Amino acid sequence: MQHDSADYHIPVLLERSIELLVTDPQGIYVDGTLGGGGHSRLLLSRLGEKSRVIGFDQDPDAIRRAQRLFGDDPRLSPVHNNVDHLRNVLQHMEIPTIDGLLLDLGVSSHQIDVPERGFSFRFEGPLDMRMDQERTVTAADLIARSPEEELARLFFTYGEERHSRRIARAIVQASARGPLLTTGELVATISAVTSPAFRSKTLARIFQALRIAVNDELGALERTLSDALDLLRVGGHLVVISYHSLEDRIVKQFLRDEASSCVCPPRTPICVCGKVARITLLHSRYIEADEIEVRRNPRARSARLRAGEKIHA
Ligand SMILES: C[S@@+](CC[C@H](N)C(=O)[O-])C[C@H]1O[C@@H](n2cnc3c(N)ncnc32)[C@H](O)[C@@H]1O
């Protein structure tokens, strides 16, 4: 299925995120999650001729789209890679520091809406869920190779699903009769052991858990944040939009840790840890979408934007 501009993805917290990101109109920025290119498009409109935007996406569909959309803008370089390879890619491009990094995490509407990608429990499709189809392990592979306890742990940790054990047991029993290969087969297996009253929420949690695991989303986020802070110039901004509590917790914790100076135990008479704050938070809490945006784009409801400025090398 081929998607075009309007329905690929509606960018979330667009104006706020770009306002927070840009500190130097001639600077070098990284959009770590290009998607439909909505954020990059506004970013480029705020930047000057000498600026650069390096746009990462691990999904080749997003890269092809960026090439189509921005093909004649020499300031944007689309990179088909996981943004957790930021350090190596920038080194290869001979870019020692950047002025800002934007991460707009998770999946795009395009990815969810294409049945063949297998991200949605609402459409029949293969149990795939890879953002990068060059990854080898699909959701079907993960299910086939994981023991019951591992699946239960995954559903509990990444999906915050209360009935994780029961669902894991049903999946392992169903797999013993033949591999689960489609979203429909997984939905039927989960539906057989869970209450119809909460069906959609349960399915959403299990699909989320599998997607996070297949794409190692939390690991990639942790690696990216720590490299990004090294690469940011002092005064540069880090802007992250997350869509579920696990991602947001990682971002919040990272920013808090980096914004704190001394981490000596309470009542230590003088600081012995020598820790220096590298970040100052640009907002004490997070920024959410307002009602108007949520009405226009329901996906914005769960978005939390956190941002920090690098203050120390
Ligand atoms: C929410 S969408 C981004 C939407 C984009 N800001 C826009 O305006 O259209 C997330 C995109 O980031 C990509 N993505 C998620 N995690 C990634 C990672 N670790 N490295 C590279 N791309 C990633 C996904 O493939 C998806 O296309």
Side-chain angles (χ1 to χ4, degrees), residues 118 125-129 138-141 143 180-183 186 207 210:
L127 260 183
D128 190 324
M129 301 197 195
T138 64
D141 298 329
I143 286 176
L180 294 182
L181 297 175
T182 68
T183 52
L186 180 61
F207 271 64
L210 287 168

Side-chain angles (χ1 to χ4, degrees), residues 17-36:
S17 55
I18 300 304
E19 261 168 35
L20 282 165
L21 183 66
V22 177
T23 50
D24 173 2
Q26 302 297 346
I28 302 178
Y29 294 85
V30 172
D31 178 348
T33 49
L34 255 179

Side-chain angles (χ1 to χ4, degrees), residues 21-217:
L21 183 66
V22 177
T23 50
D24 173 2
Q26 302 297 346
I28 302 178
Y29 294 85
V30 172
D31 178 348
T33 49
L34 255 179
H39 282 97
S40 272
R41 190 205 297 264
L42 185 65
L43 174 59
L44 286 162
S45 78
R46 301 278 163 88
L47 299 180
E49 267 179 27
K50 296 201 186 99
S51 64
R52 279 191 80 177
V53 176
I54 320 301
F56 284 76
D57 206 295
Q58 54 181 330
D59 185 341
D61 278 2
I63 297 301
R64 274 192 291 274
R65 176 180 164 77
Q67 282 159 346
R68 259 203 336 269
L69 274 183
F70 304 108
D72 53 1
D73 190 332
R75 296 173 301 164
L76 182 98
S77 313
V79 176
H80 176 221
N81 211 327
N82 194 307
V83 66
D84 68 356
H85 291 126
L86 180 68
R87 192 188 287 277
N88 287 344
V89 171
L90 293 187
Q91 198 173 22
H92 193 70
M93 293 172 127
E94 298 182 5
I95 297 175
T97 57
I98 56 175
D99 295 89
L101 170 80
L102 172 70
L103 294 175
D104 177 23
L105 299 167
V107 273
S108 65
S109 306
H110 167 81
Q111 288 166 325
I112 293 179
D113 290 346
V114 175
E116 304 88 73
R117 303 295 298 267
F119 283 109
S120 174
F121 61 86
R122 297 183 198 281
F123 308 124
E124 177 67 25
L127 260 183
D128 190 324
M129 301 197 195
R130 291 169 301 170
M131 287 188 201
D132 183 352
Q133 287 109 330
E134 285 171 15
R135 269 180 191 269
T136 47
V137 179
T138 64
D141 298 329
L142 187 75
I143 286 176
R145 66 165 66 163
S146 303
E148 185 179 321
E149 310 75 64
E150 177 56 21
L151 283 178
R153 189 195 62 78
L154 206 142
F155 298 154
F156 186 74
T157 321
Y158 294 164
E160 298 174 290
E161 171 55 51
R162 280 195 305 137
H163 303 298
S164 54
R165 286 174 192 280
R166 189 196 304 167
I167 295 169
R169 191 171 320 126
I171 289 176
V172 168
Q173 283 168 358
S175 302
R177 295 190 289 273
L180 294 182
L181 297 175
T182 68
T183 52
E185 288 165 1
L186 180 61
V187 167
T189 307
I190 298 168
S191 301
V193 294
T194 52
S195 156
F198 310 107
R199 180 80 21 94
S200 291
K201 288 200 168 144
T202 306
L203 291 171
R205 286 194 287 264
I206 300 299
F207 271 64
Q208 171 184 292
L210 287 168
R211 192 200 87 204
I212 290 175
V214 165
N215 297 288
D216 184 22
E217 290 178 36

